[in-house]
PDB file of all heavy atoms in Angstrom:
ATOM      1  N   ALA A 863      13.348 -25.236 101.236  1.00  0.00           N
ATOM      2  CA  ALA A 863      13.947 -25.430  99.839  1.00  0.00           C
ATOM      3  C   ALA A 863      14.531 -26.846  99.639  1.00  0.00           C
ATOM      4  O   ALA A 863      14.302 -27.445  98.567  1.00  0.00           O
ATOM      5  CB  ALA A 863      14.907 -24.290  99.485  1.00  0.00           C
ATOM      6  N   TYR A 864      15.263 -27.233 100.661  1.00  0.00           N
ATOM      7  CA  TYR A 864      15.972 -28.577 100.509  1.00  0.00           C
ATOM      8  C   TYR A 864      14.908 -29.657 100.542  1.00  0.00           C
ATOM      9  O   TYR A 864      14.982 -30.730  99.768  1.00  0.00           O
ATOM     10  CB  TYR A 864      16.887 -28.670 101.574  1.00  0.00           C
ATOM     11  CG  TYR A 864      17.932 -29.872 101.448  1.00  0.00           C
ATOM     12  CD1 TYR A 864      18.269 -30.407 100.137  1.00  0.00           C
ATOM     13  CD2 TYR A 864      18.501 -30.464 102.518  1.00  0.00           C
ATOM     14  CE1 TYR A 864      19.115 -31.354  99.993  1.00  0.00           C
ATOM     15  CE2 TYR A 864      19.417 -31.502 102.311  1.00  0.00           C
ATOM     16  CZ  TYR A 864      19.780 -31.851 101.080  1.00  0.00           C
ATOM     17  OH  TYR A 864      20.659 -32.921 100.898  1.00  0.00           O
ATOM     18  N   ILE A 865      13.872 -29.620 101.380  1.00  0.00           N
ATOM     19  CA  ILE A 865      12.793 -30.624 101.426  1.00  0.00           C
ATOM     20  C   ILE A 865      12.069 -30.638 100.080  1.00  0.00           C
ATOM     21  O   ILE A 865      11.746 -31.712  99.612  1.00  0.00           O
ATOM     22  CB  ILE A 865      11.891 -30.349 102.718  1.00  0.00           C
ATOM     23  CG1 ILE A 865      12.581 -30.712 103.935  1.00  0.00           C
ATOM     24  CG2 ILE A 865      10.535 -31.191 102.429  1.00  0.00           C
ATOM     25  CD1 ILE A 865      11.822 -30.422 105.152  1.00  0.00           C
ATOM     26  N   ALA A 866      11.954 -29.582  99.478  1.00  0.00           N
ATOM     27  CA  ALA A 866      11.239 -29.513  98.191  1.00  0.00           C
ATOM     28  C   ALA A 866      12.084 -30.290  97.213  1.00  0.00           C
ATOM     29  O   ALA A 866      11.479 -31.064  96.394  1.00  0.00           O
ATOM     30  CB  ALA A 866      10.949 -28.104  97.798  1.00  0.00           C
ATOM     31  N   ARG A 867      13.300 -30.079  97.159  1.00  0.00           N
ATOM     32  CA  ARG A 867      14.340 -30.749  96.168  1.00  0.00           C
ATOM     33  C   ARG A 867      14.324 -32.340  96.576  1.00  0.00           C
ATOM     34  O   ARG A 867      14.265 -33.070  95.664  1.00  0.00           O
ATOM     35  CB  ARG A 867      15.782 -30.338  96.455  1.00  0.00           C
ATOM     36  CG  ARG A 867      15.911 -28.955  95.634  1.00  0.00           C
ATOM     37  CD  ARG A 867      17.275 -28.181  96.143  1.00  0.00           C
ATOM     38  NE  ARG A 867      18.358 -29.188  96.398  1.00  0.00           N
ATOM     39  CZ  ARG A 867      19.381 -28.834  97.187  1.00  0.00           C
ATOM     40  NH1 ARG A 867      19.414 -27.746  97.850  1.00  0.00           N
ATOM     41  NH2 ARG A 867      20.352 -29.810  97.375  1.00  0.00           N
ATOM     42  N   LEU A 868      14.290 -32.644  97.883  1.00  0.00           N
ATOM     43  CA  LEU A 868      14.279 -34.020  98.184  1.00  0.00           C
ATOM     44  C   LEU A 868      13.017 -34.798  97.795  1.00  0.00           C
ATOM     45  O   LEU A 868      12.974 -35.950  97.575  1.00  0.00           O
ATOM     46  CB  LEU A 868      14.557 -34.307  99.711  1.00  0.00           C
ATOM     47  CG  LEU A 868      15.899 -33.878 100.200  1.00  0.00           C
ATOM     48  CD1 LEU A 868      16.072 -33.761 101.711  1.00  0.00           C
ATOM     49  CD2 LEU A 868      16.946 -34.753  99.494  1.00  0.00           C
ATOM     50  N   THR A 869      11.840 -34.041  97.969  1.00  0.00           N
ATOM     51  CA  THR A 869      10.562 -34.491  97.436  1.00  0.00           C
ATOM     52  C   THR A 869      10.561 -34.804  95.954  1.00  0.00           C
ATOM     53  O   THR A 869      10.191 -35.778  95.438  1.00  0.00           O
ATOM     54  CB  THR A 869       9.408 -33.586  97.850  1.00  0.00           C
ATOM     55  OG1 THR A 869       9.471 -33.365  99.293  1.00  0.00           O
ATOM     56  CG2 THR A 869       8.076 -34.130  97.386  1.00  0.00           C
ATOM     57  N   THR A 870      11.148 -33.942  95.230  1.00  0.00           N
ATOM     58  CA  THR A 870      11.384 -34.088  93.743  1.00  0.00           C
ATOM     59  C   THR A 870      12.234 -35.252  93.505  1.00  0.00           C
ATOM     60  O   THR A 870      11.928 -36.067  92.616  1.00  0.00           O
ATOM     61  CB  THR A 870      11.973 -32.771  93.132  1.00  0.00           C
ATOM     62  OG1 THR A 870      11.116 -31.696  93.311  1.00  0.00           O
ATOM     63  CG2 THR A 870      12.243 -32.992  91.678  1.00  0.00           C
ATOM     64  N   LEU A 871      13.288 -35.440  94.234  1.00  0.00           N
ATOM     65  CA  LEU A 871      14.198 -36.552  94.151  1.00  0.00           C
ATOM     66  C   LEU A 871      13.415 -37.960  94.367  1.00  0.00           C
ATOM     67  O   LEU A 871      13.582 -38.891  93.608  1.00  0.00           O
ATOM     68  CB  LEU A 871      15.297 -36.570  95.060  1.00  0.00           C
ATOM     69  CG  LEU A 871      16.266 -37.774  95.197  1.00  0.00           C
ATOM     70  CD1 LEU A 871      16.999 -38.098  93.863  1.00  0.00           C
ATOM     71  CD2 LEU A 871      17.271 -37.589  96.291  1.00  0.00           C
ATOM     72  N   ASP A 872      12.614 -37.922  95.385  1.00  0.00           N
ATOM     73  CA  ASP A 872      11.875 -39.111  95.762  1.00  0.00           C
ATOM     74  C   ASP A 872      10.863 -39.477  94.695  1.00  0.00           C
ATOM     75  O   ASP A 872      10.754 -40.701  94.247  1.00  0.00           O
ATOM     76  CB  ASP A 872      11.071 -38.858  97.099  1.00  0.00           C
ATOM     77  CG  ASP A 872      10.335 -40.024  97.558  1.00  0.00           C
ATOM     78  OD1 ASP A 872      10.975 -41.047  97.805  1.00  0.00           O
ATOM     79  OD2 ASP A 872       9.136 -39.912  97.854  1.00  0.00           O
ATOM     80  N   GLU A 873      10.220 -38.490  94.011  1.00  0.00           N
ATOM     81  CA  GLU A 873       9.384 -38.665  92.981  1.00  0.00           C
ATOM     82  C   GLU A 873      10.157 -39.225  91.762  1.00  0.00           C
ATOM     83  O   GLU A 873       9.582 -40.125  91.115  1.00  0.00           O
ATOM     84  CB  GLU A 873       8.582 -37.450  92.729  1.00  0.00           C
ATOM     85  CG  GLU A 873       7.622 -36.992  93.731  1.00  0.00           C
ATOM     86  CD  GLU A 873       7.181 -35.565  93.398  1.00  0.00           C
ATOM     87  OE1 GLU A 873       7.647 -34.856  92.594  1.00  0.00           O
ATOM     88  OE2 GLU A 873       6.182 -35.126  94.218  1.00  0.00           O
ATOM     89  N   ALA A 874      11.309 -38.725  91.498  1.00  0.00           N
ATOM     90  CA  ALA A 874      12.119 -39.276  90.415  1.00  0.00           C
ATOM     91  C   ALA A 874      12.544 -40.613  90.546  1.00  0.00           C
ATOM     92  O   ALA A 874      12.419 -41.565  89.582  1.00  0.00           O
ATOM     93  CB  ALA A 874      13.248 -38.303  90.235  1.00  0.00           C
ATOM     94  N   LEU A 875      12.991 -41.078  91.797  1.00  0.00           N
ATOM     95  CA  LEU A 875      13.411 -42.468  92.125  1.00  0.00           C
ATOM     96  C   LEU A 875      12.172 -43.331  91.914  1.00  0.00           C
ATOM     97  O   LEU A 875      12.320 -44.448  91.425  1.00  0.00           O
ATOM     98  CB  LEU A 875      13.990 -42.336  93.494  1.00  0.00           C
ATOM     99  CG  LEU A 875      15.276 -41.772  93.634  1.00  0.00           C
ATOM    100  CD1 LEU A 875      15.732 -41.698  95.087  1.00  0.00           C
ATOM    101  CD2 LEU A 875      16.493 -42.425  92.864  1.00  0.00           C
ATOM    102  N   THR A 876      11.105 -42.943  92.451  1.00  0.00           N
ATOM    103  CA  THR A 876       9.875 -43.681  92.408  1.00  0.00           C
ATOM    104  C   THR A 876       9.377 -44.089  90.866  1.00  0.00           C
ATOM    105  O   THR A 876       9.150 -45.230  90.645  1.00  0.00           O
ATOM    106  CB  THR A 876       8.565 -43.053  93.159  1.00  0.00           C
ATOM    107  OG1 THR A 876       9.127 -42.951  94.494  1.00  0.00           O
ATOM    108  CG2 THR A 876       7.392 -43.882  93.024  1.00  0.00           C
ATOM    109  N   ALA A 877       9.420 -43.048  90.169  1.00  0.00           N
ATOM    110  CA  ALA A 877       9.078 -43.191  88.619  1.00  0.00           C
ATOM    111  C   ALA A 877      10.185 -43.940  87.975  1.00  0.00           C
ATOM    112  O   ALA A 877       9.803 -44.810  87.163  1.00  0.00           O
ATOM    113  CB  ALA A 877       8.862 -41.806  88.104  1.00  0.00           C
TER     114      ALA A 877
END
Side-chain angles (χ1 to χ4, degrees):
Y864 195 25
I865 287 176
R867 283 165 39 204
L868 293 172
T869 300
T870 298
L871 171 65
D872 184 53
E873 293 168 350
L875 293 169
T876 299

